[in-house]
């Protein structure tokens, strides 16, 4: 919560509240909160490990807190990054000026598996490709916020941001009555507004917006249904949609209704078996052609995932300078590309001190945390790097900030990261909050829920 002299200023009210409430009561309330989460179905799925794949993400009762001044900086940096990433996506599918300028090597873009040649020349409404940008941020000291990675396709977890706050307000209303905490419950309205702003130009009046889900067996289905309900839009599965005369229609009890904007939670490869994977059972035939014709907007745009690539991430500060003419507000973590001979040699010589990731990896899988790995694990990973160096990047093992976290024996510091959700339409919006993920295992740096992490409510204090 701060230095040994006491908690940092934003945490002082919470520190007094913890002392007054007592650890035993907080632990009891934590169990009540988890029971509520399970009762309303907030779980995620982990497959391939045996047993029941449906798991509850542990909820920690102690909030992560940002002061108003800290939030101003984070908010400005996230919005700046979202604008630069969208400018990059428009550029690579059109003139490719950033490659012509020699800033990003062409092969990193055009040979990237997430680059879709079918998107070349397509003009998405407002030139927006990534409508929800999740930026994973860590703190290493009192001053610096660093970006670990960007999520430009369909960053998940926002339902936890909303539910964590609802649970905290329900269980501890007295705490909120004393603290001036900015609300996050405007997120669904802001998301719907952003989606409406990117409706096709031919759309007249209020657009018909639908959320496209793979269905109830998807690990994030709860979030899909939850967001659709909060926004007051239709939740549809692929079988609910069809394409006729280049337009997308939704089957309803009153007959077909044209759909203008689709917030899709299905990966590029599966959205249309006529355009991409022919074996896809999750797609809508003709959907991509309807999109290319400008008759429907897909959020996010196909091909936006290249901006998620960890090899591309290295160049985001350069994108800010190139497209916006500004200096980056948020810095990247120092990163070595194993595709470069000198970088690869450095990584192999220093594996015990580094975190190594696959460039297309996610969810904490496929990574090596050098200081926590055994000698045999590091040796085996080194062979993987040597076999395909282009597939790996490495970063230093950061001294991540910790946040006070509940345990069976009381409070202790656990490493955290933070994911705000930036909405991009005609305007760029950011609700004051986000998803704080916490590494519940002592000493662990991996916060992903699939790897044993939990979540916290995130507070942004008013002035």
């Amino acid at each position: 919560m701060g230095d040994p002299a006491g908690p940092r200023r934003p945490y002082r009210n919470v520190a007094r509240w913890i002392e007054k409430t007592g650890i035993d009561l907080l632990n009891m309330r934590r169990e009540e909160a988890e029971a509520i989460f399970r009762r309303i179905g907030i779980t995620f799925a982990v497959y391939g490990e045996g047993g029941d794949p449906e798991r509850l993400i542990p909820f920690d009762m102690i909030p992560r807190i940002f002061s108003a001044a800290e939030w101003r900086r984070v908010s400005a940096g996230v919005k700046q990054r979202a604008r630069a990433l969208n400018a990059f996506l428009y550029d690579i599918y059109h003139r490719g000026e950033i490659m012509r300028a020699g800033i990003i090597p062409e092969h990193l873009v055009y040979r990237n598996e997430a680059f879709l040649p079918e998107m070349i020349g397509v003009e998405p409404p407002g030139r927006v490709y990534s409508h929800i940008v999740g930026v994973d941020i860590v703190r290493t000291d009192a001053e610096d916020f660093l970006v670990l990675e960007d999520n430009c396709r369909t960053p998940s977890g926002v339902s936890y941001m909303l539910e964590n706050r609802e649970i905290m307000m329900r269980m501890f209303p007295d705490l909120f009555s004393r603290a001036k905490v900015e609300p996050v419950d405007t997120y669904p309205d802001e998301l719907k507004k952003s989606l409406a702003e990117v409706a096709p130009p031919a759309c007249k009046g209020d657009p018909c917006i639908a959320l496209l889900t793979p269905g109830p067996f998807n690990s994030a289905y709860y979030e899909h249904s939850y967001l659709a309900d909060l926004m007051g839009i239709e939740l549809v599965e692929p079988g609910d949609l069809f394409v006729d005369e280049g337009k997308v229609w939704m089957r309803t009890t009153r007959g077909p209704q044209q759909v203008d904007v689709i917030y899709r939670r299905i990966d590029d490869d599966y959205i249309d078996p006529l355009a991409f994977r022919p074996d896809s059972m999750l797609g809508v035939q003709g959907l991509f052609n309807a999109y290319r014709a400008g008759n429907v907007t897909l959020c996010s745009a196909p091909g936006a995932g290249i901006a998620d690539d960890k090899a591309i991430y290295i160049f985001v500060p350069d994108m800010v300078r190139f497209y916006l003419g500004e200096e980056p507000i948020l810095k990247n973590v120092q990163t070595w590309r194993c595709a470069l001979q000198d970088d690869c040699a450095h990584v192999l010589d220093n594996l015990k001190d580094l975190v190594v990731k696959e460039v297309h990896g996610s969810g904490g899988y496929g990574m090596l945390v050098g200081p926590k790995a055994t000698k045999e694990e590091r040796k085996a990973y080194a062979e993987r790097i040597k076999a395909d160096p282009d597939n790996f990047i490495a970063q230093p093992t950061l001294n991540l900030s910790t946040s006070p976290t509940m345990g069976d024996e009381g409070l202790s510091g656990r490493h955290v990261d933070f994911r705000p959700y930036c909405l991009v339409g005609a305007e760029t919006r950011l609700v004051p909050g986000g998803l704080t993920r916490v590494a519940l295992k002592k000493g662990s740096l991996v916060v992903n829920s699939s790897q044993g992490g939990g979540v916290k409510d995130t507070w942004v204090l008013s002035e």
Side-chain angles (χ1 to χ4, degrees):
M1 242 191 287
D3 59 40
R8 292 193 301 113
R9 181 181 297 274
Y11 281 90
R12 289 176 186 171
N13 273 337
V14 170
R16 288 192 288 268
W17 168 72
I18 292 171
E19 185 175 358
K20 179 180 177 181
T21 305
I23 298 299
D24 290 342
L25 180 57
L26 287 174
N27 273 322
M28 185 171 68
R29 288 296 181 88
R30 179 182 62 178
E31 293 174 2
E32 291 174 14
E34 291 184 351
I36 293 171
F37 281 148
R38 190 172 295 282
R39 185 165 66 246
I40 61 181
I42 311 179
T43 60
F44 72 102
V46 176
Y47 303 107
E49 297 185 10
D52 183 3
E54 292 297 325
R55 302 208 185 152
L56 189 73
I57 297 183
F59 173 60
D60 186 70
M61 306 297 293
I62 311 302
R64 167 83 179 276
I65 305 177
F66 291 91
S67 69
E70 289 169 339
W71 180 250
R72 280 196 299 272
R73 185 178 174 198
V74 169
S75 176
V78 169
K79 289 180 179 180
Q80 180 192 62
R81 204 165 174 104
R83 291 196 303 271
L85 287 164
N86 272 291
F88 164 72
L89 287 165
Y90 184 84
D91 185 27
I92 64 171
Y93 288 115
H94 290 81
R95 291 183 56 82
E97 297 288 357
I98 201 165
M99 282 88 76
R100 295 184 187 202
I103 295 172
I104 298 179
E106 288 189 354
H107 73 274
L108 282 183
V109 173
Y110 297 136
R111 296 182 189 174
N112 195 301
E113 63 183 36
F115 179 80
L116 287 184
E118 297 89 345
M119 283 294 295
I120 292 174
V122 175
E123 293 280 339
R127 297 187 173 184
V128 180
Y129 286 76
S130 182
H131 305 80
I132 304 104
V133 180
V135 180
D136 291 349
I137 297 172
V138 295
R139 191 171 194 168
T140 54
D141 56 39
E143 301 297 328
D144 286 332
F145 294 97
L146 302 176
V147 176
L148 265 182
E149 61 183 59
D150 304 288
N151 303 272
C152 292
R153 277 173 273 201
T154 51
S156 62
V158 74
S159 59
Y160 286 96
M161 174 187 80
L162 298 169
E163 289 284 15
N164 291 347
R165 176 61 55 83
E166 187 173 334
I167 290 293
M168 286 292 289
M169 292 185 72
R170 182 188 304 185
M171 293 195 146
F172 305 108
D174 56 321
L175 180 59
F176 282 88
S177 67
R178 294 197 299 267
K180 296 180 179 179
V181 183
E182 295 282 359
V184 295
D185 58 0
T186 59
Y187 179 85
D189 290 338
E190 298 289 352
L191 174 56
K192 186 176 181 180
K193 190 183 301 181
S194 296
L195 295 173
E197 288 173 352
V198 295
C203 174
K204 306 302 179 185
D206 294 334
C208 175
I209 305 172
L211 193 156
L212 177 60
T213 175
F217 295 107
N218 183 266
S219 61
Y221 181 73
Y222 171 80
E223 179 162 297
H224 304 167
S225 58
Y226 181 67
L227 287 176
D229 183 56
L230 289 178
M231 285 190 285
I233 65 174
E234 295 295 332
L235 179 69
V236 297
E237 296 182 26
D240 299 322
L241 301 178
F242 67 95
V243 175
D244 185 40
E245 296 184 352
K247 298 177 181 178
V248 181
W249 302 85
M250 173 173 58
R251 295 180 173 90
T252 76
T253 55
R254 300 178 302 277
Q257 180 179 357
Q258 186 177 349
V259 179
D260 302 298
V261 180
I262 297 176
Y263 175 25
R264 51 115 179 181
R265 300 297 293 259
I266 295 177
D267 291 343
D268 289 354
D269 285 348
Y270 300 96
I271 59 172
D272 183 349
L274 297 182
F276 304 110
R277 287 187 56 152
D279 61 341
S280 171
M281 303 296 290
L282 300 175
V284 180
Q285 292 190 11
L287 177 60
F288 186 66
N289 279 341
Y291 171 71
R292 282 182 60 96
N295 293 325
V296 68
T297 300
L298 297 178
C299 304
S300 62
I306 190 170
D308 285 358
D309 191 281
K310 293 178 179 61
I312 296 294
Y313 151 89
I314 296 170
F315 298 96
V316 177
D318 295 315
M319 296 177 198
V320 172
R321 298 183 186 98
F322 184 77
Y323 297 117
L324 308 182
E326 303 170 359
E327 279 301 306
I329 297 169
L330 299 177
K331 298 177 183 177
N332 276 12
V333 175
Q334 182 181 10
T335 304
W336 292 273
R337 282 175 55 206
C338 293
L340 302 177
Q341 187 173 355
D342 290 349
D343 282 17
C344 190
H346 174 83
V347 171
L348 291 171
D349 288 344
N350 295 275
L351 269 184
K352 68 181 186 302
D353 301 316
L354 300 174
V355 176
V356 190
K357 304 175 183 178
E358 298 173 347
V359 295
H360 305 305
S362 63
Y365 292 106
M367 65 188 291
L368 176 85
V369 181
K372 302 294 182 182
T374 65
K375 185 176 180 179
E376 290 73 21
E377 288 170 338
R378 290 195 295 269
K379 183 178 179 181
Y381 209 94
E383 292 304 315
R384 291 184 60 200
I385 296 172
K386 292 174 185 176
D388 186 12
D390 288 10
N391 193 41
F392 297 93
I393 57 98
Q395 296 171 329
T397 305
L398 300 174
N399 182 27
L400 299 182
S401 66
T402 60
S403 181
T405 301
M406 288 292 302
D408 294 335
E409 299 176 359
L411 288 178
S412 57
R414 291 291 186 268
H415 295 298
V416 291
D417 80 352
F418 175 59
R419 176 183 290 179
Y421 297 87
C422 189
L423 303 174
V424 186
E427 300 178 18
T428 303
R429 302 176 173 89
L430 190 64
V431 298
L435 177 67
T436 290
R437 301 182 298 181
V438 54
L440 294 175
K441 296 177 183 177
K442 186 176 181 179
S444 175
L445 298 173
V446 182
V447 298
N448 304 80
S449 55
S450 55
Q451 304 290 298
V455 294
K456 288 174 169 284
D457 189 15
T458 306
W459 290 9
V460 174
L461 300 182
S462 304
E463 294 284 5

